[in-house]
Amino acid sequence: MTSEKKFTFRRADQNDIITVQEMIQELADYEKMSDGPKQSVEDLKRDSGLTGQTEYCHIYVLDYLKNPNEKIIIGYAICYFSYSTWLGKSYFLEDIYVRPAYRGLGAGAHMFREIAAIALANQCKRVDFHVLSWNPATEFYKKFGASDLTETESWHFYRLNEKGIRQAVKTLNNI
């Protein structure tokens, strides 16, 4: 059996979300941001549309067939549609993660190709994502043809956190 046939990439269902939350924490620990994740299982279910509310993100899982009788979740990805004023619809890859014990089997490449296929099927003109500068995955993405926009176009990404949002609103009210 080829490694490709051992993988099944699919949308997460309600029963998968606890495992996804565990992997989100594993990724945060790896990124040296253990205190980062604040989402509860219920938040993830709600925001991915699994409770019937507005869908803000797509949560995918990667099943691995360890043997003919055992299938386990070894990875996840979270994506959402975004929009480029120059190109139109885009797909943003927020997270992609494979549990360490299952790296080197082609799981990450399988998930990345599946995400690209979803973007293509939805007429997206690009897939955007962020990678920490020290993460060795930068080489993985470059093998797929990804470019570092900081290097090629001098883009810098900024974030307004919740405190900043409140400050901006406060400033607006003072005008």
Side-chain angles (χ1 to χ4, degrees):
M1 178 184 301
T2 68
S3 61
E4 289 293 314
K5 294 187 186 219
K6 290 186 175 190
F7 299 126
T8 304
F9 186 76
R10 62 180 175 81
R11 288 290 285 266
D13 63 36
Q14 291 215 23
N15 297 322
D16 301 323
I17 300 301
I18 290 173
T19 304
V20 169
Q21 185 190 42
E22 291 169 0
M23 290 187 289
I24 289 170
Q25 187 61 55
E26 290 171 20
L27 177 59
D29 294 343
Y30 173 75
E31 292 178 338
K32 301 173 182 78
M33 297 181 213
S34 296
D35 294 336
K38 306 289 187 243
Q39 297 285 16
S40 70
V41 167
E42 293 309 313
D43 292 334
L44 292 167
K45 287 179 181 179
R46 179 197 63 227
D47 293 345
S48 63
L50 291 172
T51 60
Q53 293 174 294
T54 302
E55 180 182 69
Y56 292 100
C57 67
H58 308 148
I59 300 178
Y60 301 97
V61 294
L62 185 68
D63 292 324
Y64 176 64
L65 188 61
K66 277 181 88 166
N67 60 56
N69 300 316
E70 186 180 8
K71 187 185 288 190
I72 59 171
I73 296 172
I74 65 165
Y76 81 96
I78 297 179
C79 305
Y80 55 88
F81 290 109
S82 58
Y83 198 80
S84 163
T85 55
W86 290 359
L87 298 174
K89 193 174 2 174
S90 302
Y91 210 39
F92 193 89
L93 172 58
E94 179 67 26
D95 283 351
I96 185 170
Y97 177 77
V98 175
R99 287 189 148 153
Y102 300 96
R103 293 181 185 159
L105 301 174
H110 183 87
M111 283 200 298
F112 198 74
R113 284 193 302 273
E114 290 276 5
I115 291 162
I118 291 166
L120 189 63
N122 283 282
Q123 294 88 40
C124 294
K125 302 299 183 195
R126 66 186 196 198
V127 174
D128 294 314
F129 49 94
H130 303 142
V131 183
L132 291 168
S133 61
W134 56 263
N135 189 330
T138 56
E139 293 306 313
F140 168 84
Y141 297 118
K142 287 178 183 177
K143 287 179 186 176
F144 282 97
S147 57
D148 181 340
L149 295 181
T150 305
E151 292 174 4
T152 61
E153 297 180 21
S154 298
W155 285 99
H156 293 270
F157 292 92
Y158 289 87
R159 175 174 294 139
L160 195 58
N161 63 20
E162 189 175 0
K163 181 180 177 183
I165 294 169
R166 292 183 192 287
Q167 183 62 39
V169 170
K170 182 180 176 183
T171 305
L172 174 68
N173 292 334
N174 291 333
I175 295 176

